[in-house]
Amino acid sequence: MADAALETTDAQQEGRQSARKTWLTRLGLVVVIGGLLWAAWYLLVGRNHVSTDNAYVNAEMAQVTPLISAQATDVLVSDTQAVKKGDILVKLDPANARIAVAQAEADLAEARRRFRQTAATSDSLSAQVQARGADIVQARAQLATAQADFDKARVDLQRREALVGDGAVSGDEVTAARKGYAAARAALDLARAGVQTAQATRNAATGQLEANDALVRGSTIDTDPAVLAAQAKLDSAKLDLDRTVIRAPIDGVVTKRQVQVGQRVAQGSPIMTIVPLNQLYVDANFKERQLRDVKVGMTATVTSDLYGDDVVYHGKVVGFAGGTGSSMSLIPAQNATGNWIKVVQRLPLRIALDPRELAAHPLRVGLSMDVELDLSDK
């Protein structure tokens, strides 16, 4: 009996040891196969892919700012509302802008009137120059007459003075001849002065004509500098009037609306933001060690927590940020102390998404994303 019990115990121990060896062998095979599968996956797939869950949706958002200061009379949109480029967002009070347009139109009409007046003055001055030319001709004719009278008076005086000694002429005749000679000489001087006066008058009229012509020479009523300046002021006033109607600069969704009816908005102050949902992209923050083989143009697959793994977006790497997230922070890290510890940095990459996939499954700015890059796409 004792020998039979001992043999049974030994058989049980051998069975347990055999089962343990079989289990360990199977476990080892599973581990080896798993390792081989993992190695095969890494060699074929894993080493050609890098991924991160530190990624977020972003967009080039349009900030709407009024270009003039005025009171808001009508606000036609609200937050979360979709708008198209050119849709009216806000209307501002146009009263001051209309007054400015009316004033600019009056200034333009005045500038045109002054140009026409200046052009007409040139015609008048030209006629005056011609009239002064006629005065010079007349003065020269009078000078010639005075010169002839003076020559006759001089000859008559010489003749009479030559006959005084013979007693052929009386003293009264000589005196009269001398008086006539003096009068002729005075008339000659007056005629000469008249010619000079006429010439000076014509020169003055010519100068006025040239000065007036300089204001209109080479210009028309539409190209005159004063008219162009007035026209520019009118265009500016009309532009300010158009700016009383604020329109959407892009397609998108309104967010962060900060204007109410009756509020006076200041020029350049933001009143709302428009997010272009059809132009979203992903900023993915990869560890610096993951970027050794990453190039611009590589393909990427992106998933969102909003839709889960069932919806996969396809995109491409379009660029690297100019610095790491820590270097671009408001207060960059300072590593000049002696207790410096190396911290792995992350560099943002921009991933452009397929617009058709965005249209089918819209995203929103700020959503978290999972990004995987295919390094085999060289």
Side-chain angles (χ1 to χ4, degrees):
M1 290 290 296
D3 293 337
L6 182 60
E7 290 177 0
T8 301
T9 302
D10 292 339
Q12 291 177 351
Q13 290 178 354
E14 289 178 0
R16 285 195 296 268
Q17 290 177 356
S18 177
R20 183 181 301 170
K21 289 180 181 181
T22 301
W23 181 85
L24 291 175
T25 300
R26 292 176 179 176
L27 179 61
L29 289 174
V30 170
V31 171
V32 170
I33 292 173
L36 292 175
L37 292 175
W38 181 89
W41 174 85
Y42 178 78
L43 291 174
L44 298 176
V45 179
R47 66 175 182 174
N48 293 324
H49 291 78
V50 291
S51 61
T52 182
D53 58 359
N54 189 354
Y56 304 92
V57 178
N58 211 334
E60 299 293 339
M61 294 176 285
Q63 194 173 63
V64 180
T65 58
L67 298 178
I68 61 172
S69 298
Q71 184 183 29
T73 58
D74 198 1
V75 180
L76 304 177
V77 296
S78 58
D79 283 341
T80 72
Q81 180 175 338
V83 295
K84 296 290 185 181
K85 182 178 180 180
D87 288 351
I88 298 177
L89 305 177
V90 179
K91 292 182 179 180
L92 304 179
D93 185 4
N96 292 336
R98 287 174 179 168
I99 293 174
V101 169
Q103 180 64 50
E105 288 176 342
D107 292 342
L108 177 59
E110 176 66 18
R112 291 178 178 273
R113 186 190 65 80
R114 284 197 300 267
F115 180 84
R116 288 192 292 266
Q117 182 180 9
T118 303
T121 301
S122 292
D123 296 337
S124 176
L125 291 175
S126 179
Q128 291 182 16
V129 170
Q130 294 178 359
R132 298 294 81 77
D135 291 343
I136 292 176
V137 174
Q138 183 179 1
R140 286 176 177 172
Q142 292 175 354
L143 176 61
T145 300
Q147 182 69 47
D149 293 342
F150 173 76
D151 292 340
K152 181 179 181 299
R154 179 170 55 79
V155 172
D156 289 345
L157 178 60
Q158 290 176 350
R159 288 176 179 176
R160 283 171 175 74
E161 287 180 341
L163 297 175
V164 171
D166 297 336
V169 295
S170 64
D172 291 340
E173 290 180 356
V174 174
T175 300
R178 288 175 177 172
K179 184 177 179 181
Y181 173 77
R185 184 173 182 177
L188 178 61
D189 291 339
L190 182 61
R192 287 173 177 170
V195 172
Q196 293 177 353
T197 300
Q199 289 177 339
T201 303
R202 187 183 67 175
N203 291 338
T206 301
Q208 292 178 354
L209 176 61
E210 291 177 351
N212 200 78
D213 280 345
L215 298 176
V216 296
R217 186 182 299 117
S219 299
T220 65
I221 195 170
D222 294 322
T223 61
D224 178 65
V227 174
L228 291 177
Q231 183 66 53
K233 291 182 179 179
L234 176 59
D235 293 341
S236 177
K238 289 182 178 179
L239 184 60
D240 287 342
L241 180 59
D242 291 339
R243 287 170 173 172
T244 59
V245 178
I246 302 176
R247 300 179 181 273
I250 59 173
D251 297 347
V253 173
V254 176
T255 184
K256 297 173 63 176
R257 198 197 79 176
Q258 305 174 29
V259 60
Q260 304 294 336
V261 174
Q263 176 182 349
R264 180 174 178 81
V265 296
Q267 179 181 358
S269 61
I271 58 175
M272 67 183 67
T273 301
I274 298 179
V275 181
L277 298 185
N278 58 344
Q279 299 177 12
L280 299 177
Y281 55 83
V282 174
D283 285 332
N285 302 292
F286 281 91
K287 296 178 181 179
E288 49 190 324
R289 290 193 298 265
Q290 295 177 297
L291 301 177
R292 294 172 183 172
D293 298 321
V294 176
K295 306 294 182 183
V296 173
M298 286 184 171
T299 59
T301 56
V302 184
T303 57
S304 169
D305 292 344
L306 179 65
Y307 298 108
D309 296 337
D310 294 336
V311 176
V312 178
Y313 299 89
H314 299 84
K316 287 188 177 182
V317 178
V318 295
F320 295 79
T324 63
S326 61
S327 66
M328 296 298 174
S329 62
L330 184 62
I331 304 178
Q334 299 295 325
N335 295 326
T337 60
N339 59 351
W340 174 77
I341 298 175
K342 181 178 180 179
V343 178
V344 176
Q345 300 298 314
R346 289 181 178 267
L347 183 69
L349 271 66
R350 180 155 296 182
I351 310 296
L353 301 177
D354 188 341
R356 292 172 298 179
E357 296 177 348
L358 281 176
H361 298 89
L363 295 172
R364 294 296 186 271
V365 172
L367 292 177
S368 58
M369 310 290 284
D370 294 328
V371 177
E372 183 176 312
L373 300 181
D374 185 2
L375 302 182
S376 63
D377 184 12
K378 303 278 185 181

